[in-house]
Amino acid sequence: MMNKTLVALAAGLAVLGTVPAQAQSSKELEELRNEIKQLRQEINALKQQKGATAPAAPADSTNWGDRIEQVEIKQKDAVVAGDIGGGFRLPGSETSMRIYGYAEAHAIHDFGRWSPPDNSTNLQFQPSEGQKGRTKFTAETSRFGFESSTPTQYGTFNTKLEADFYSYGSGNRNRLRLRHAYGEYAGFLVGQTWSTFMDLDDLPETVDFNGPIGAPFSRRTMVRYTYSDPKVAKFTVALEDPEDQFGNGSANERLPQFVARVDKSFDWGAVNVRGLVHEKRSATTTKRGYGLGIGGSFKITDKDLLMAQFARVDGDFDQMYGSNGYAIDPDTGAITFDHNMGLVVGYAKTFTDQLRGTVAFGANKAKTAQDIGNRTLRQLHVNFIYSPIKNVELGAEYVWGQRKSFADADNNVDKGDLSRFDLMGRYSF
């Protein structure tokens, strides 16, 4: 019986001595060292009890001291897995960090005319005259980012910092641009990220970087609070930067933009309702605008998903992709809002683990007091995305679009047509 006990303890010691330190946390490695020491003490005690008649320990158990030292050395140098998937623990701290991003390139061919201010689709500026046909290569949509997570007694403190090289309309492409920079703790978020009014969950996937027209699409600096009750819903309120950087005027903003939303998930999909209030001021006029949005998704099968969203926004270009925004009369200071409506619908299909595709349609309709700018915008995306190997995706997409202006005094309507093919290659890390 004593012989079997010695062999079992020695074998257990040998197995424990070979556990990779890299896969263990600091606490687990400390427990491993203590267990090895305890096993050694027990074996030595048994040998002393048996005296000279005790059997020799297996060869693998004669270097216990060396193995313990190796475990201690590996613990100091180990890259310990963090709490974030794919992340690591910063040495000497409880903070986990993840580095992520992708290198992405596009080969774009326009069959008709193209919008000069951008390489991605920009339907609201689609020209009605000019040359037809263009090929463009760009890697400016490549991005990188950092995420961190630190446990506290009241939950985790999370941060995110992300940038890409998509310097829209700068004239000097491939310059660094800040996308996200914020911290989250106890339901609060402070920093820059997607607007609370944006329905990112129900925005169809496209190869084109800008995506379908007609949806709220804005990043803003904000203070946001979210309360979630799984049995009821998720409630979110936010005060956001009121600046409308693409508005057709130079209004002053006295108050932050206020946004509130409710999200509810079901087994069959999800729905959300969103509202906003903002204010624009000129030298003589103050005008308040409102926005309302609703969105949702429906799971037909585990491989087929329908999604849709509708929004109505008064006088804010940033909060409605395709809106004419607002205008200020230079003589009177009167402010004119575009009462804009947008609709996006999409169908996503997963064919295999490597192949998926999406059909997305977006529409935008304007109604302004002075009938200025674009009256209707329509855009269709059809794409396939294939992943031949892990972390690599190849995409192909056809995009059609049409822009129509309000009729002028002579009842003429300016019209611009978009027809584009976009090939994409992406390596994610």
Side-chain angles (χ1 to χ4, degrees):
M1 182 65 179
M2 184 65 67
N3 293 347
K4 292 182 179 180
T5 301
L6 284 170
V7 171
L9 289 172
L13 178 61
V15 171
L16 288 170
T18 61
V19 176
Q22 289 85 346
Q24 308 297 318
S25 67
S26 298
K27 183 178 179 180
E28 291 171 334
L29 287 169
E30 182 66 26
E31 293 174 352
L32 177 63
R33 287 205 313 273
N34 293 335
E35 190 169 357
I36 291 175
K37 292 178 181 178
Q38 182 179 357
L39 286 171
R40 183 175 63 179
Q41 292 172 358
E42 292 176 359
I43 291 176
N44 288 337
L46 290 171
K47 289 177 65 177
Q48 291 175 2
Q49 292 176 8
K50 293 293 295 181
T53 62
D60 288 344
S61 65
T62 58
N63 58 347
W64 297 320
D66 292 341
R67 291 187 178 182
I68 293 173
E69 293 301 322
Q70 290 175 7
V71 170
E72 292 175 344
I73 292 172
K74 288 182 178 180
Q75 177 185 339
K76 295 178 181 179
D77 298 334
V79 178
V80 181
D83 298 327
I84 306 175
F88 59 92
R89 189 76 54 81
L90 293 178
S93 76
E94 294 297 319
T95 298
S96 301
M97 176 170 285
R98 182 173 79 97
I99 302 173
Y100 68 94
Y102 56 71
E104 180 177 279
H106 287 258
I108 302 167
H109 180 76
D110 286 288
F111 298 99
R113 300 178 180 91
W114 65 94
S115 178
D118 199 3
N119 289 326
S120 300
T121 57
N122 205 8
L123 188 61
Q124 58 267 43
F125 300 111
Q126 188 68 25
S128 57
E129 299 178 349
Q131 292 182 338
K132 292 184 177 181
R134 178 194 71 156
T135 298
K136 178 66 179 178
F137 293 84
T138 180
E140 64 194 3
T141 56
S142 300
R143 72 178 61 163
F144 64 91
F146 306 88
E147 289 180 330
S148 75
S149 177
T150 305
T152 73
Q153 59 179 334
Y154 299 111
T156 59
F157 177 74
N158 303 317
T159 67
K160 183 171 185 173
L161 179 64
E162 181 180 296
D164 64 12
F165 300 89
Y166 181 71
S167 53
Y168 172 83
S170 66
N172 180 13
R173 314 298 298 195
N174 302 320
R175 295 194 305 178
L176 194 65
R177 177 188 69 155
L178 180 66
R179 289 173 54 86
H180 303 279
Y182 63 83
E184 286 181 298
Y185 183 66
F188 285 93
L189 181 150
V190 179
Q192 176 177 301
T193 189
W194 297 115
S195 171
T196 311
F197 191 68
M198 183 177 174
D199 185 9
L200 190 63
D201 293 334
D202 300 308
L203 192 64
E205 181 182 29
T206 61
V207 173
D208 174 64
F209 187 73
N210 285 337
I213 205 79
F217 202 89
S218 175
R219 275 182 293 267
R220 302 208 175 197
T221 304
M222 68 185 72
V223 177
R224 182 163 76 193
Y225 178 72
T226 300
Y227 173 78
S228 183
D229 185 338
K231 296 181 180 180
V232 183
K234 183 172 71 172
F235 303 91
T236 308
V237 293
L239 296 177
E240 302 186 354
D241 181 9
E243 182 181 4
D244 186 6
Q245 60 179 319
F246 295 112
N248 300 324
S250 54
N252 296 316
E253 291 85 9
R254 177 181 56 172
L255 300 173
Q257 187 171 101
F258 175 75
V259 184
R261 68 180 290 163
V262 179
D263 292 79
K264 176 65 175 178
S265 297
F266 304 90
D267 293 337
W268 50 263
V271 295
N272 67 78
V273 179
R274 316 173 308 276
L276 70 84
V277 180
H278 71 96
E279 184 182 85
K280 297 289 188 289
R281 302 179 76 196
S282 68
T284 60
T285 306
T286 297
K287 191 168 184 177
R288 187 163 296 168
Y290 303 90
L292 177 66
I294 183 170
S297 60
F298 178 74
K299 301 174 185 177
I300 303 174
T301 70
D302 60 347
K303 297 182 181 297
D304 299 85
L305 179 68
L306 286 176
M307 64 205 84
Q309 55 177 292
F310 171 83
R312 156 73 186 269
V313 178
D314 297 336
D316 195 297
F317 181 99
D318 277 2
Q319 288 290 21
M320 178 55 73
Y321 182 38
S323 170
N324 297 319
Y326 67 93
I328 299 178
D329 189 300
D331 298 322
T332 66
I335 300 175
T336 301
F337 278 170
D338 177 10
H339 306 294
N340 199 276
M341 294 183 292
L343 172 70
V344 175
V345 294
Y347 167 66
K349 172 71 173 180
T350 301
F351 299 96
T352 68
D353 292 339
Q354 294 177 294
L355 180 65
R356 65 186 186 272
T358 303
V359 177
F361 176 77
N364 188 282
K365 185 176 182 180
K367 182 181 179 182
T368 65
Q370 298 177 348
D371 290 345
I372 57 176
N374 295 315
R375 179 168 60 90
T376 59
L377 301 169
R378 295 180 295 168
Q379 193 164 315
L380 176 69
H381 299 251
V382 180
N383 65 59
F384 293 95
I385 298 178
Y386 175 65
S387 178
I389 58 176
K390 185 179 179 180
N391 297 336
V392 173
E393 292 182 323
L394 305 175
E397 180 173 82
Y398 176 74
V399 186
W400 171 89
Q402 187 178 80
R403 176 191 63 83
K404 288 185 178 180
S405 70
F406 287 97
D408 61 17
D410 298 324
N411 203 34
N412 294 319
V413 174
D414 185 44
K415 185 176 72 172
D417 293 318
L418 168 70
S419 180
R420 164 177 291 199
F421 190 69
D422 190 344
L423 292 175
M424 177 270 294
R426 176 192 301 146
Y427 173 74
S428 302
F429 58 87

